[in-house]
Amino acid sequence: EWRFRIARNTHPILRFIEGNYKTCTLESTARFFNMNPNYLTTLLKHHTGYSYKELVQTQRLTRAAQMIRNSDASISEVANSVGYENMSFFYRKFRERYHCSPKEYRTSH
């Protein structure tokens, strides 16, 4: 019963991250759900296999890839719109996930 209750509690957290990935932090998300930040990230890691930070990065990069495919916005506009201020960090994370640069991704998609 306890495990089921916790597993159900992760769905609202994941939806919150999906809707607030641009600006949410572990602390703000934990505060929203009235949880300790360490407990929140442990809960997510246990039930999804990913840390809070990984889940936010995935959401940001997924949205960035959609924007790169479906808009003419510059790469820096895309990065800024999904919450990245540091362009070199964005490029590094994008390449790790998609195995190409954002420009190469746009050209091939």
Side-chain angles (χ1 to χ4, degrees), residues 4-102:
F4 176 73
R5 184 171 47 93
I6 289 179
R8 276 190 31 214
N9 286 346
T10 59
H11 295 292
I13 298 166
L14 295 173
R15 282 197 304 273
F16 181 86
I17 292 170
E18 285 178 19
N20 299 281
Y21 62 89
K22 293 179 194 177
T23 58
C24 66
T25 64
L26 175 59
E27 290 74 22
S28 68
T29 304
R31 194 169 38 253
F32 184 85
F33 289 98
N34 198 28
M35 292 182 179
N36 178 290
N38 292 334
Y39 176 75
L40 174 64
T41 200
T42 301
L43 178 72
L44 289 170
K45 183 77 170 180
H46 179 75
H47 289 286
T48 68
Y50 298 100
S51 70
Y52 176 83
K53 187 181 282 188
E54 290 169 325
L55 291 167
V56 171
Q57 291 288 346
T58 297
Q59 192 63 37
R60 286 179 176 178
L61 292 169
T62 299
R63 181 66 183 127
Q66 290 171 340
M67 291 179 71
I68 290 168
R69 280 194 313 270
N70 300 316
S71 78
D72 294 328
S74 72
I75 302 302
S76 61
E77 288 171 332
V78 168
N80 287 327
S81 73
V82 299
Y84 289 99
E85 294 175 15
N86 182 323
M87 288 303 296
S88 61
F89 183 73
F90 170 72
Y91 275 90
R92 185 170 70 246
K93 289 298 179 183
F94 194 93
R95 185 174 289 280
E96 284 174 13
R97 177 149 178 105
Y98 294 103
H99 310 291
C100 62
S101 73

